[in-house]
Amino acid sequence: MSSLPEVLNDAAKKPAVIADCLTLIDAEVSDKGGFSGLAIKAGYAAVKGVKPGFIRDAVESLLPEFSKALDPIFQEAKSKGVAVSTHFVSNSSRVADALLTITDAKAQKSPHGVVKGAYEKLRGTAKKNVESAVPRLGKLIEKHGG
């Protein structure tokens, strides 16, 4: 059975995986409404403005760590014979915690003050927002062979 890092970081698939991750992020940000949605959209726009391709570069650099962190949950789904998307949704809190552990560490080390500031402002609602993205994330993984 393949590991999630093998599935998502395969050289032949990786450009499509990254493109789909960017589409997922754009869709999640676009779906946000209300006051918190405005804050998320403003923070996302600020981060995108750091330099052209910043989000793509961030996704590409985070993908190996994200896939490694999510692999135990991925392997559980495979061993139970359930769809990855279903298992991820059932474990959305664990998925969010795994991803946020990585982004918390990366944000602290970022040399970009705009990135740090935006992350710190949005971190309070981050888990809820990541959990809401889990269904799309599970489908993305399934699409690419998970």
Side-chain angles (χ1 to χ4, degrees):
M1 180 178 344
S2 296
S3 71
L4 191 55
E6 292 168 337
V7 170
L8 297 183
N9 294 294
D10 176 272
K13 293 180 185 180
K14 194 168 182 177
V17 171
I18 291 168
D20 285 348
C21 287
L22 294 171
T23 299
L24 182 153
I25 295 166
D26 286 343
E28 286 296 322
V29 170
S30 177
D31 285 353
K32 301 302 178 210
F35 182 72
S36 64
L38 290 173
I40 289 168
K41 289 173 183 176
Y44 187 57
V47 170
K48 282 178 91 170
V50 168
K51 70 176 184 179
F54 182 82
I55 301 294
R56 175 178 291 281
D57 293 345
V59 168
E60 187 169 1
S61 71
L62 289 169
L63 189 58
E65 291 177 75
F66 280 173
S67 58
K68 184 177 177 184
L70 295 176
D71 191 50
I73 304 167
F74 174 79
Q75 295 300 332
E76 286 173 11
K78 293 297 186 179
S79 68
K80 292 179 180 181
V82 297
V84 172
S85 59
T86 302
H87 193 66
F88 271 36
V89 168
S90 297
N91 291 277
S92 60
S93 180
R94 287 176 57 206
V95 170
D97 287 340
L99 298 175
L100 290 170
T101 296
I102 294 165
T103 57
D104 286 349
K106 294 289 185 183
Q108 290 300 317
K109 295 176 185 174
S110 176
H112 302 285
V114 171
V115 172
K116 279 185 178 180
Y119 191 83
E120 288 171 7
K121 286 179 186 170
L122 299 173
R123 182 55 178 95
T125 60
K127 186 166 181 177
K128 176 184 73 157
N129 289 314
V130 173
E131 286 175 343
S132 74
V134 168
R136 283 181 172 140
L137 177 60
K139 293 290 186 189
L140 183 153
I141 291 169
E142 288 174 354
K143 175 182 175 183
H144 293 284

